[in-house]
Amino acid sequence: MNQLPRIERFLTLANKLLHIFIALALLAASVLVIAQFIVQAWQTVEAGSYARGFLTALGNLFVLWILSSLISAEVRWLKTGIFDVLVFIEVALITLLRQLVILPVELGHDLKNWAWAYGLITFAILAVGIVYFLMQRQPPPPVEDPL
């Protein structure tokens, strides 16, 4: 029974190290997205297709926003040990908004598919928005340490 606290400390340390690794991987992904944004902006200027390039670049900024939210959640977890599930709902909402913005670039000029895709994404945004609103309204239950 004396080994249990030692194992618990080891697992807690390992978990913190894993979260630090995740945060660093998210940071590396953010740097790559920034680099991709710069390259796409340059290619847009060279090609002269500003509307399409702007929408694609805006899609990259939405990805950067997602990565920023996840990094903030990791930092919060490392500081407090509390991870808020609301972050994943925010990420889902941002992802759907990104999809709404870049849809014209992906679908081209097919109006029939546009209407269908915009309808589905709008419905999904509404559903996720309602879940976000309901979870935001209700204060989280107190967390008790089981050990």
Side-chain angles (χ1 to χ4, degrees):
M1 228 27 202
N2 193 13
Q3 295 295 329
L4 187 61
R6 186 176 292 166
I7 292 171
E8 185 180 329
R9 281 194 307 268
F10 172 75
L11 291 176
T12 301
L13 177 64
N15 193 27
K16 282 193 178 205
L17 289 174
L18 287 173
H19 278 276
I20 290 171
F21 177 77
I22 290 169
L24 291 174
L26 289 168
L27 180 63
S30 299
V31 170
L32 291 174
V33 169
I34 291 169
Q36 183 181 8
F37 174 81
I38 293 169
V39 167
Q40 281 185 337
W42 183 260
Q43 289 173 347
T44 297
V45 170
E46 284 182 341
S49 59
Y50 296 111
R52 184 181 191 97
F54 174 75
L55 291 176
T56 305
L58 191 59
N60 285 339
L61 291 180
F62 274 99
V63 172
L64 196 59
W65 187 10
I66 289 168
L67 291 170
S68 174
S69 295
L70 293 173
I71 290 171
S72 295
E74 284 298 324
V75 169
R76 192 175 322 119
W77 186 89
L78 287 169
K79 284 183 177 180
T80 65
I82 297 171
F83 194 81
D84 192 7
V85 74
L86 207 56
V87 170
F88 290 107
I89 296 170
E90 290 172 358
V91 165
L93 197 54
I94 295 167
T95 302
L96 288 167
L97 290 171
R98 176 189 180 272
Q99 192 63 31
L100 200 62
V101 167
I102 66 168
L103 200 59
V105 174
E106 290 179 348
L107 293 180
H109 298 291
D110 190 4
L111 189 58
K112 183 179 178 186
N113 284 340
W114 266 37
W116 179 248
Y118 269 111
L120 287 176
I121 293 172
T122 303
F123 178 74
I125 288 172
L126 183 63
V128 173
I130 289 170
V131 170
Y132 182 81
F133 173 74
L134 291 174
M135 290 200 59
Q136 190 89 5
R137 274 187 28 192
Q138 196 74 301
V143 178
E144 294 181 23
D145 190 6
L147 300 177

